Amino acid sequence: MSMSDSDTASLGSEYKNFRQISRDRLLYEMLRSTKTGDSKSSWKVLIMDKLTVRIMSYACKMADITEEGVSLVEDIHKRRQPLPSMDGIYFIQPTKENIVSFLSDMSGRTPLYKKAFVFFSSPVSRELVAQIKKDGSVLPRIGALREMNLEYFAIDSQGFITDNERALEDLFGDEESSRKGDACLNVMGTRIATVLASLREFPYVRYRAAKSLDPTTMTTFRDLIPTKLAASVWNNLMKYKANLPNFPQMETCELLILDRSVDQIAPVIHEWTYDAMCHDLLNMDGNKYIHEVPSQTGGRPEKKEVLLEDHDPIWLELRHAHIADASERLHEKMTNFVSKNKAAQIHGSRSGGELSTRDLQKMVQALPQYSEQIEKLSLHVDIAGKINKLIRESGLKDVGQLEQDLVFGDAGTKDIINFLRAKEDISREYKLRLLMIYAAVYPEKFDDDKISKLMELARLPPDDATAIYNMRLLESSSDPKKSSSVPFSLKFDVHKKKHAARKDRPGEVAWQLSRFYPIIEELVEKLSKGELPRNDYPCMNEPSPTIHGSSQSAAIRSGDIPTPFSKRSRRTATWARPRNSDDGYASDSILRHASSDFKKMGQRIFVFIVGGATRSELRACHKLSAKLQREIVLGSSSLDDPPQFITKLKLLNANELSLDDLEI
């Protein structure tokens, strides 16, 4: 079963996005392939380890797995009941521990299962294969032994993580732990390569280069993170190229490897989209939200756990919309629904004001045929209402305005001082995030004691001071803030004497507080146009003579790439398009058209950020996919909301900084 885009395109079949392909491979290429011979109709047991069970749960639902003939899911490291009449499907990492458990299950006179179909999440070593082959009682019981090359979490239709939650600590912390750092990068490199193998993509591998200010400056381990990871990915790809059937022999896409130092502002600034606000302000557990619904008996409200995911069409439509836009659209949907249903008008708010949750409950009872629609709408009306209330009560608009003004050079030290004096009741977290943004925009202020004085003024405890000082660990010697020759110098508009971390993008800001954009938005656009500087972002590949028959041979090596796709659509992203919903709920059309948007896409672009990606960066990839007509897939070691990122930053080991440097 070939997973190459070019193959699917040539067959004229529907374009499938990144997560759909991952799901299809697990369900059809793995589970369905075990339905052969006398195994065709029987139910099977699926045995997984801690990592692969999460890989599966991100890509598939339990109902999907059951439909493929799996009646039981088990943990390989727990004691299991023997089921000698059933086949076992093993989806496991190729580790010594897993192999020992597998052999223990299937060897001897009484194996746990009739037959075993073994699928590894990443390439298995020859030693482990030899260990399996050595056991004569196990060999005849193996129905399949294959490498799936699928070792990543598909967290979004265009996003994945490699589950290296401690990458920031392992890579940017204590300088002496380079062995731990190398091990972390090797795991990451293997997992990124499985993404490319899974999609049958062979990329041009670009990475952010390490640059010293002068030949006397020593290049540190941190400076080399993207370089080392690019080398690891490349080595894995070379093995796939040599050994994997149907793996492309010439470049089919582009991969850009960055690390968190490329943009220190994106992880801490308030992102004003619906998705980001939910995760930032509502203390959600992953994508789980606890929704209170009125009790039908009139007692205490009932708590209901809901998942904010792609299967919810309203979430899919609104997640990347500005919170003000999302609130407006929800109000429109509810108004449209009520105006078109007489029963809803009777049970709704007669005053013409906002509908209460109790009103919505009455509507569900009066209109059972619309219960799912009303419940979905009431869920999102409730969430948006909570977010707007929190924004009002916490003074977040003022904080957000100052954050954006700092980033765009419209505010400086005096504005921060005035704000901290005037707004003493602002939460500790908001003050901390403001000062972290200030430290990212003005790194030189570490040296003149300004930041420590601002921390005193903000009355931040030592714990928070650690997070601010540890931002210095994210500055490498190649940090653009230290060199005016690098494209992302913070001093853009010298004639205006502005100290800005971003340039305004004319015509792109539709809502207040939505000026900010992550740096990767700029980098991906430059990469797509062939304008990404070769010195700053070298390429691992030797040029191939042709790319799918086109004349892009020396493209990336020369640094003078012709624009790959001249007939590029300038459509805005789905969330920014006008809505034509006529019944207040027709956003399911978003689901219907989600994949059709990709039917005539150019080559994919993969962007990988070491040290954690943000929701603003994921949103930027969705936006650019529509704009550039290329599927942009974002990968990272983890997806972090600001509180998580700040906690990780506090854990960084600042041993290499002396107390004199810290000026505490």
Side-chain angles (χ1 to χ4, degrees), residues 388-458:
N388 285 316
K389 188 181 177 201
L390 283 166
I391 290 169
R392 278 194 308 276
E393 290 176 355
S394 65
L396 186 54
K397 270 191 182 172
D398 293 335
V399 177
Q401 190 61 60
L402 183 52
E403 285 177 350
Q404 305 251 338
D405 287 347
L406 277 170
V407 171
F408 285 89
D410 297 326
T413 311
K414 279 183 187 171
D415 302 275
I416 287 260
I417 292 168
N418 294 340
F419 183 86
L420 292 173
R421 282 178 178 157
K423 308 268 186 184
E424 287 185 15
D425 56 340
I426 286 291
S427 80
R428 169 187 155 189
E429 185 202 332
Y430 291 177
K431 289 176 185 174
L432 171 60
R433 284 164 72 171
L434 255 180
L435 291 186
M436 288 174 84
I437 292 166
Y438 177 82
V441 177
Y442 296 93
E444 68 279 4
K445 301 289 183 187
F446 278 113
D447 302 326
D448 61 11
D449 212 23
K450 276 271 191 329
I451 286 175
S452 56
K453 284 174 181 168
L454 286 173
M455 281 190 279
E456 277 174 38
L457 182 60

Side-chain angles (χ1 to χ4, degrees), residues 355-366:
L355 289 163
S356 70
T357 313
R358 174 69 59 194
D359 293 331
L360 293 163
Q361 186 67 36
K362 286 178 184 172
M363 282 163 59
V364 169
Q365 289 162 1

Side-chain angles (χ1 to χ4, degrees), residues 187-219:
V187 171
M188 224 180 277
T190 300
R191 291 180 181 171
I192 294 166
T194 72
V195 171
L196 296 154
S198 210
L199 273 65
R200 297 290 192 270
E201 292 273 27
F202 177 44
Y204 282 107
V205 181
R206 305 282 296 270
Y207 59 95
R208 191 180 191 217
K211 283 191 301 298
S212 296
L213 289 178
D214 58 73
T216 60
T217 309
M218 192 176 76
T219 303

